[in-house]
Every structure is written in structure tokens, then in C-alpha cells.
Amino acid sequence: LGLAKRTKARILIASTSEVYGDPEVHPQPETYWGHVNPIGPRACYDEGKRVAETLAYAYNKQSGVDVRVARIFNTYGPRMHANDGRVVSNFVIQALEGK
């Protein structure tokens, strides 16, 4: 962030839907703050994403650095396991099986 301030660069924070935790609202509008368990098994990941966004926006307010956040949802990649239970991998497997 300091380098971005010195060079007047824009910062992109790659976040995820995990900032919402286990949402009680579907779909989640940008104004939704989430429903996160701070002591659950995935708490470090959820809270890590939340604090990254928080620190970036705080730096924006303090130093004027241009900050953008992209919350990436439902992606698929070559290292995903077919049986991981995610919507995207289930969809891909069902399509390959002709279902």
C-alpha cells in the first residue's frame, strides 16, 4: 500500500465470498455485512479476507490510495477435486456425465 501511495498506483484486493461467512441473505448485496463465526474452523480465512478489505479501505481513507476489491465467487480450476461439494464442481461433473 505504501508503494501504491508513492507511485499513485491503484490497488486491487482479490477477496472472496468468504467475507460474508455463512450468509443469512441471498444473494448478498454490497451493503450486507455478513454472518461470520470468528472462532469456527474456517475463521482464520474468513476473518483474514475481511481484515484485508478493512485495512485497504482504511488506507484509502487515510492516504487517498485508490483501492478496489473484487469478491470472487464460484470459480473452477484444474486443481479442484470433483467431489469437493461445491456448486461449480458439481455442475461441471453433472455436465460431463450428461445429467
Side-chain angles (χ1 to χ4, degrees), residues 14-89:
S15 192
T16 70
S17 61
E18 297 293 330
V19 297
Y20 298 119
D22 187 15
E24 297 176 325
V25 175
H26 297 281
Q28 297 84 39
E30 288 296 317
T31 55
Y32 182 65
W33 290 359
H35 183 250
V36 176
N37 176 356
I39 59 172
R42 292 187 50 82
C44 290
Y45 186 75
D46 298 349
E47 296 296 352
K49 290 296 185 178
R50 291 167 69 97
V51 76
E53 289 188 25
T54 300
L55 291 172
Y57 283 126
Y59 205 83
N60 166 265
K61 285 186 177 185
Q62 179 182 4
S63 301
V65 172
D66 191 4
V67 172
R68 307 295 167 98
V69 173
R71 291 187 183 146
I72 304 163
F73 284 69
N74 298 325
T75 59
Y76 181 81
R79 292 185 182 94
M80 288 182 70
H81 297 284
N83 60 352
D84 70 1
R86 297 180 195 200
V87 172
V88 174
S89 50

